[in-house]
Amino acid sequence: MPYIGRFAPSPTGPLHFGSLFAAVASYLDARAHGGQWLLRIDDLDTPRCVAGAGTEIIETLRAHGLQPDGEIVWQHHRQAAYEAALQALRNAGSLYGCVCTRKGAAATAAKQGLPHGVYPGTCRDAGVPERDARALRLRLPAGTLAFNDRLCSTQQHDSQTAVGDPILLRADGLTAYALAVVVDDHATGVTDIVRGADLLNTTPAQIAVYLALGLPLPRYAHVPVQHDAAGNKLSKQHGAPALDAKLAAENLQRAFAALSLGEIPADEPERMLQHATAAWKARI
Ligand code: GLU
Protein backbone atom coordinates (compact mmCIF):
# COMPACT_ATOMS: atom_id res chain seq x y z
CA MET A 1 0.00 0.00 0.00
CA PRO A 2 1.39 3.43 -0.83
CA TYR A 3 2.14 5.57 2.18
CA ILE A 4 2.59 9.33 2.28
CA GLY A 5 2.83 10.90 5.70
CA ARG A 6 3.52 14.44 6.81
CA PHE A 7 4.32 16.81 9.62
CA ALA A 8 2.50 20.15 9.54
CA PRO A 9 3.67 22.55 12.26
CA SER A 10 2.23 26.03 12.70
CA PRO A 11 5.07 28.56 12.87
CA THR A 12 3.83 30.25 16.02
CA GLY A 13 7.24 29.90 17.70
CA PRO A 14 10.34 27.70 17.73
CA LEU A 15 10.08 23.89 17.78
CA HIS A 16 9.56 22.49 21.30
CA PHE A 17 9.67 18.92 22.52
CA GLY A 18 5.91 18.35 22.09
CA SER A 19 6.13 19.09 18.38
CA LEU A 20 9.42 17.19 17.93
CA PHE A 21 7.67 14.17 19.43
CA ALA A 22 4.83 14.42 16.87
CA ALA A 23 7.36 14.96 14.07
CA VAL A 24 9.38 11.89 15.11
CA ALA A 25 6.25 9.71 15.38
CA SER A 26 5.04 10.71 11.91
CA TYR A 27 8.55 10.28 10.46
CA LEU A 28 9.11 6.82 11.95
CA ASP A 29 5.68 5.62 10.87
CA ALA A 30 6.32 6.82 7.30
CA ARG A 31 9.78 5.24 7.12
CA ALA A 32 8.62 2.00 8.75
CA HIS A 33 5.98 1.72 6.02
CA GLY A 34 8.57 2.46 3.31
CA GLY A 35 6.69 5.68 2.68
CA GLN A 36 7.43 9.34 2.10
CA TRP A 37 7.45 11.99 4.78
CA LEU A 38 6.39 15.49 3.74
CA LEU A 39 6.70 18.77 5.56
CA ARG A 40 4.16 21.57 5.40
CA ILE A 41 4.35 24.88 7.22
CA ASP A 42 0.84 25.81 8.34
CA ASP A 43 1.31 29.57 8.23
CA LEU A 44 -2.26 30.40 7.29
CA ASP A 45 -3.34 31.88 10.58
CA THR A 46 -1.18 34.97 10.08
CA PRO A 47 -2.16 36.70 13.36
CA ARG A 48 -0.64 33.74 15.27
CA CYS A 49 2.47 33.28 13.11
CA VAL A 50 5.88 34.53 14.19
CA ALA A 51 8.21 35.92 11.50
CA GLY A 52 11.07 33.54 10.79
CA ALA A 53 9.64 30.69 12.88
CA GLY A 54 8.88 28.52 9.83
CA THR A 55 12.48 28.59 8.60
CA GLU A 56 13.75 28.04 12.13
CA ILE A 57 11.51 24.97 12.56
CA ILE A 58 12.76 23.51 9.25
CA GLU A 59 16.38 23.98 10.36
CA THR A 60 15.75 22.46 13.78
CA LEU A 61 14.08 19.43 12.18
CA ARG A 62 17.06 19.00 9.85
CA ALA A 63 19.46 19.22 12.78
CA HIS A 64 17.52 16.28 14.25
CA GLY A 65 17.94 14.28 11.02
CA LEU A 66 14.33 14.89 10.00
CA GLN A 67 14.82 15.61 6.33
CA PRO A 68 11.53 15.88 4.40
CA ASP A 69 10.87 14.32 1.01
CA GLY A 70 9.78 16.56 -1.84
CA GLU A 71 9.19 20.27 -1.64
CA ILE A 72 8.15 21.93 1.55
CA VAL A 73 4.65 23.40 1.21
CA TRP A 74 3.83 26.77 2.76
CA GLN A 75 0.14 27.38 3.22
CA HIS A 76 0.42 31.07 2.31
CA HIS A 77 1.10 29.91 -1.29
CA ARG A 78 -2.05 27.80 -1.39
CA GLN A 79 -4.80 30.44 -1.41
CA ALA A 80 -6.05 29.61 -4.94
CA ALA A 81 -6.59 25.96 -3.99
CA TYR A 82 -8.58 26.94 -0.87
CA GLU A 83 -10.74 29.30 -2.93
CA ALA A 84 -11.40 26.58 -5.52
CA ALA A 85 -12.48 24.13 -2.80
CA LEU A 86 -14.71 26.77 -1.22
CA GLN A 87 -16.27 27.47 -4.60
CA ALA A 88 -16.95 23.75 -5.18
CA LEU A 89 -18.69 23.56 -1.81
CA ARG A 90 -20.62 26.76 -2.51
CA ASN A 91 -21.80 25.36 -5.87
CA ALA A 92 -22.91 22.16 -4.16
CA GLY A 93 -25.01 24.18 -1.69
CA SER A 94 -22.93 22.90 1.23
CA LEU A 95 -22.10 26.33 2.70
CA TYR A 96 -24.16 28.93 4.48
CA GLY A 97 -23.53 32.42 5.76
CA CYS A 98 -23.32 32.94 9.52
CA VAL A 99 -23.62 36.22 11.41
CA CYS A 100 -23.02 34.83 14.91
CA THR A 101 -20.16 36.10 17.00
CA ARG A 102 -18.10 33.46 18.79
CA LYS A 103 -19.47 34.71 22.13
CA GLY A 104 -23.09 34.70 20.94
CA ALA A 105 -22.81 31.20 19.51
CA ALA A 106 -21.17 29.94 22.71
CA ALA A 107 -23.93 31.44 24.88
CA THR A 108 -26.66 29.81 22.77
CA ALA A 109 -24.80 26.49 22.77
CA ALA A 110 -24.48 26.60 26.57
CA LYS A 111 -28.23 27.28 26.92
CA GLN A 112 -28.95 24.26 24.74
CA GLY A 113 -26.58 22.09 26.77
CA LEU A 114 -24.21 21.57 23.84
CA PRO A 115 -20.54 20.89 24.54
CA HIS A 116 -18.16 23.85 24.36
CA GLY A 117 -17.31 24.82 20.77
CA VAL A 118 -20.28 23.08 19.12
CA TYR A 119 -22.14 25.54 16.92
CA PRO A 120 -25.87 25.49 17.79
CA GLY A 121 -26.99 26.00 14.18
CA THR A 122 -28.54 29.44 14.71
CA CYS A 123 -27.93 30.63 11.12
CA ARG A 124 -28.29 27.23 9.45
CA ASP A 125 -31.66 27.97 7.88
CA ALA A 126 -31.64 31.75 8.19
CA GLY A 127 -30.72 32.30 4.53
CA VAL A 128 -28.06 34.91 5.32
CA PRO A 129 -26.71 36.24 1.98
CA GLU A 130 -22.96 35.74 1.74
CA ARG A 131 -22.27 39.49 1.49
CA ASP A 132 -23.93 40.00 4.90
CA ALA A 133 -22.22 37.02 6.54
CA ARG A 134 -19.35 37.22 9.00
CA ALA A 135 -18.23 33.68 8.23
CA LEU A 136 -19.13 30.73 6.02
CA ARG A 137 -20.00 27.39 7.59
CA LEU A 138 -20.23 23.88 6.21
CA ARG A 139 -23.70 22.36 6.57
CA LEU A 140 -23.13 18.93 8.12
CA PRO A 141 -25.57 16.18 7.22
CA ALA A 142 -27.44 14.76 10.22
CA GLY A 143 -25.98 11.54 11.60
CA THR A 144 -22.67 10.22 12.80
CA LEU A 145 -19.21 11.23 11.64
CA ALA A 146 -17.04 8.18 12.14
CA PHE A 147 -13.42 7.29 11.55
CA ASN A 148 -10.94 4.69 12.71
CA ASP A 149 -7.86 5.83 14.53
CA ARG A 150 -4.97 3.36 14.67
CA LEU A 151 -4.19 4.42 18.24
CA CYS A 152 -7.47 5.83 19.55
CA SER A 153 -9.84 3.15 18.16
CA THR A 154 -13.12 3.89 16.38
CA GLN A 155 -14.38 7.42 16.85
CA GLN A 156 -18.04 8.28 16.40
CA HIS A 157 -19.42 11.78 16.83
CA ASP A 158 -22.92 13.03 16.21
CA SER A 159 -22.66 15.83 13.66
CA GLN A 160 -25.24 18.11 15.33
CA THR A 161 -24.69 17.54 19.05
CA ALA A 162 -20.94 16.78 19.19
CA VAL A 163 -19.36 18.48 16.18
CA GLY A 164 -21.49 21.38 14.88
CA ASP A 165 -21.24 23.04 11.47
CA PRO A 166 -17.60 24.14 11.20
CA ILE A 167 -16.46 27.55 9.93
CA LEU A 168 -14.54 27.19 6.65
CA LEU A 169 -14.13 30.89 5.86
CA ARG A 170 -13.41 32.95 8.94
CA ALA A 171 -14.77 36.36 9.88
CA ASP A 172 -11.29 37.85 9.26
CA GLY A 173 -11.39 36.49 5.69
CA LEU A 174 -8.85 33.72 6.32
CA THR A 175 -9.42 30.11 5.30
CA ALA A 176 -10.12 27.98 8.34
CA TYR A 177 -7.75 25.17 9.33
CA ALA A 178 -10.47 22.51 8.78
CA LEU A 179 -10.60 23.35 5.07
CA ALA A 180 -6.91 24.09 4.47
CA VAL A 181 -5.66 20.90 6.12
CA VAL A 182 -7.94 18.72 3.98
CA VAL A 183 -7.20 20.55 0.72
CA ASP A 184 -3.44 20.42 1.34
CA ASP A 185 -3.25 16.83 2.56
CA HIS A 186 -5.28 15.69 -0.42
CA ALA A 187 -3.25 17.77 -2.92
CA THR A 188 0.01 16.24 -1.68
CA GLY A 189 -1.39 12.70 -1.75
CA VAL A 190 -1.19 12.19 2.02
CA THR A 191 -2.51 8.76 2.98
CA ASP A 192 -1.61 8.77 6.68
CA ILE A 193 -1.92 11.47 9.30
CA VAL A 194 0.08 10.89 12.46
CA ARG A 195 -0.21 13.84 14.85
CA GLY A 196 -0.83 14.78 18.47
CA ALA A 197 -4.01 13.68 20.21
CA ASP A 198 -4.74 17.35 20.98
CA LEU A 199 -5.95 17.44 17.35
CA LEU A 200 -8.24 14.41 17.71
CA ASN A 201 -11.25 16.63 18.34
CA THR A 202 -10.59 18.57 15.13
CA THR A 203 -10.80 15.39 13.06
CA PRO A 204 -14.61 14.93 12.73
CA ALA A 205 -14.96 18.34 11.05
CA GLN A 206 -12.12 17.41 8.70
CA ILE A 207 -13.83 14.10 7.90
CA ALA A 208 -16.95 16.12 7.05
CA VAL A 209 -14.91 18.31 4.68
CA TYR A 210 -13.42 15.24 2.95
CA LEU A 211 -16.92 13.82 2.51
CA ALA A 212 -18.40 17.11 1.27
CA LEU A 213 -15.61 17.42 -1.32
CA GLY A 214 -15.99 13.75 -2.31
CA LEU A 215 -12.39 12.93 -1.38
CA PRO A 216 -11.06 9.63 0.01
CA LEU A 217 -10.27 9.66 3.74
CA PRO A 218 -6.71 9.24 5.01
CA ARG A 219 -5.79 6.87 7.84
CA TYR A 220 -5.30 8.51 11.24
CA ALA A 221 -3.09 7.82 14.23
CA HIS A 222 -3.17 10.35 17.08
CA VAL A 223 -0.17 10.01 19.39
CA PRO A 224 -0.31 10.95 23.08
CA VAL A 225 0.19 14.59 23.98
CA GLN A 226 3.41 15.30 25.88
CA HIS A 227 3.30 17.10 29.24
CA ASP A 228 5.78 19.07 31.28
CA ALA A 229 6.71 18.23 34.87
CA ALA A 230 3.76 20.30 36.15
CA GLY A 231 1.34 18.25 34.02
CA ASN A 232 0.66 20.99 31.45
CA LYS A 233 0.47 20.06 27.78
CA LEU A 234 3.82 20.92 26.17
CA SER A 235 2.75 23.80 23.97
CA LYS A 236 3.69 27.30 23.03
CA GLN A 237 0.79 28.64 25.12
CA HIS A 238 2.28 27.00 28.20
CA GLY A 239 5.72 28.37 27.39
CA ALA A 240 7.37 25.08 26.33
CA PRO A 241 11.07 25.87 25.85
CA ALA A 242 12.63 25.92 22.36
CA LEU A 243 14.71 22.85 21.55
CA ASP A 244 18.47 23.24 21.47
CA ALA A 245 19.63 21.74 18.14
CA LYS A 246 23.05 21.08 19.72
CA LEU A 247 21.32 18.51 21.94
CA ALA A 248 19.75 16.68 19.00
CA ALA A 249 20.83 13.21 20.17
CA GLU A 250 19.40 13.76 23.68
CA ASN A 251 16.19 15.26 22.29
CA LEU A 252 15.74 12.29 19.98
CA GLN A 253 16.41 9.85 22.82
CA ARG A 254 13.75 11.59 24.87
CA ALA A 255 11.27 11.27 21.97
CA PHE A 256 12.12 7.57 21.48
CA ALA A 257 11.67 6.95 25.21
CA ALA A 258 8.26 8.67 25.12
CA LEU A 259 7.36 6.31 22.26
CA SER A 260 8.59 3.35 24.38
CA LEU A 261 11.05 2.32 21.68
CA GLY A 262 13.68 1.06 24.09
CA GLU A 263 17.32 2.09 24.33
CA ILE A 264 18.74 3.74 21.19
CA PRO A 265 22.38 4.78 21.69
CA ALA A 266 23.41 8.39 21.00
CA ASP A 267 24.86 8.71 17.49
CA GLU A 268 24.38 10.80 14.36
CA PRO A 269 20.66 11.75 14.25
CA GLU A 270 20.17 9.93 10.90
CA ARG A 271 21.52 6.67 12.32
CA MET A 272 19.47 7.02 15.49
CA LEU A 273 16.37 7.49 13.35
CA GLN A 274 17.24 4.35 11.37
CA HIS A 275 17.47 2.31 14.57
CA ALA A 276 14.26 3.81 15.86
CA THR A 277 12.51 3.05 12.55
CA ALA A 278 13.45 -0.63 12.93
CA ALA A 279 12.12 -0.62 16.50
CA TRP A 280 8.88 1.06 15.39
CA LYS A 281 8.52 -1.37 12.47
CA ALA A 282 8.67 -4.31 14.85
CA ARG A 283 5.64 -2.86 16.62
CA ILE A 284 3.25 -2.07 13.74
N1 GLU B 1 -0.70 22.96 12.03
C1 GLU B 1 -1.44 22.27 13.04
C2 GLU B 1 -0.85 22.55 14.40
O1 GLU B 1 0.35 22.77 14.50
C3 GLU B 1 -1.43 20.79 12.87
C4 GLU B 1 -1.90 20.31 11.59
C5 GLU B 1 -2.11 18.83 11.55
O2 GLU B 1 -1.20 18.07 11.92
O3 GLU B 1 -3.17 18.44 11.09
O4 GLU B 1 -1.56 22.50 15.38
Side-chain angles (χ1 to χ4, degrees):
M1 268 234 266
Y3 184 116
I4 301 181
R6 52 58 155 187
F7 177 54
S10 302
T12 52
L15 199 73
H16 56 77
F17 181 74
S19 20
L20 178 74
F21 174 79
V24 166
S26 64
Y27 178 93
L28 295 182
D29 199 51
R31 293 293 182 247
H33 284 88
Q36 293 182 50
W37 184 71
L38 311 182
L39 178 60
R40 184 179 74 232
I41 304 296
D42 283 0
D43 60 347
L44 196 61
D45 194 351
T46 36
R48 290 180 57 232
C49 291
V50 171
T55 314
E56 202 183 321
I57 288 173
I58 295 167
E59 280 164 12
T60 309
L61 289 169
R62 288 210 169 112
H64 287 79
L66 297 162
Q67 182 69 37
D69 296 311
E71 273 195 25
I72 299 171
V73 173
W74 293 73
Q75 285 194 323
H76 74 265
H77 290 147
R78 302 272 307 140
Q79 196 52 38
Y82 307 145
E83 275 162 27
L86 212 54
Q87 190 56 38
L89 293 171
R90 194 183 275 118
N91 293 345
S94 305
L95 302 179
Y96 66 89
C98 177
V99 292
C100 297
T101 59
R102 190 192 291 249
K103 241 181 167 173
T108 311
K111 260 189 235 142
Q112 295 181 10
L114 292 169
H116 179 73
V118 174
Y119 180 64
T122 318
C123 292
R124 201 160 213 266
D125 300 310
V128 176
E130 194 169 328
R131 63 175 180 280
D132 297 335
R134 283 171 55 82
L136 291 181
R137 289 187 185 269
L138 176 67
R139 188 186 301 277
L140 300 186
T144 305
L145 286 164
F147 62 98
N148 287 320
D149 189 286
R150 284 167 49 206
L151 300 172
C152 304
S153 71
T154 303
Q155 301 280 318
Q156 297 200 38
H157 303 272
D158 182 79
S159 66
Q160 314 295 318
T161 59
V163 183
D165 297 343
I167 287 182
L168 298 190
L169 184 65
R170 300 173 10 169
D172 58 7
L174 295 177
T175 306
Y177 161 63
L179 180 64
V181 68
V182 171
V183 169
D184 288 340
D185 283 333
H186 176 71
T188 47
V190 166
T191 60
D192 285 80
I193 295 180
V194 177
R195 61 185 177 190
D198 50 333
L199 293 164
L200 187 62
N201 67 355
T202 69
T203 310
Q206 290 161 35
I207 299 285
V209 175
Y210 276 105
L211 296 176
L213 288 169
L215 303 176
L217 300 182
R219 285 179 292 256
Y220 289 95
H222 286 88
V223 294
V225 172
Q226 300 301 299
H227 295 93
D228 63 18
N232 294 315
K233 173 186 143 184
L234 270 182
S235 67
K236 283 148 206 162
Q237 291 93 309
H238 284 114
L243 287 175
D244 182 350
K246 289 198 284 302
L247 302 178
E250 287 89 335
N251 296 333
L252 284 173
Q253 279 180 320
R254 193 174 154 206
F256 299 153
L259 289 166
S260 311
L261 289 180
E263 189 72 20
I264 300 204
D267 198 339
E268 290 299 315
E270 287 77 9
R271 262 197 298 273
M272 293 178 76
L273 286 165
Q274 276 170 15
H275 287 133
T277 300
W280 182 276
K281 200 169 178 173
R283 271 222 325 237
I284 54 176

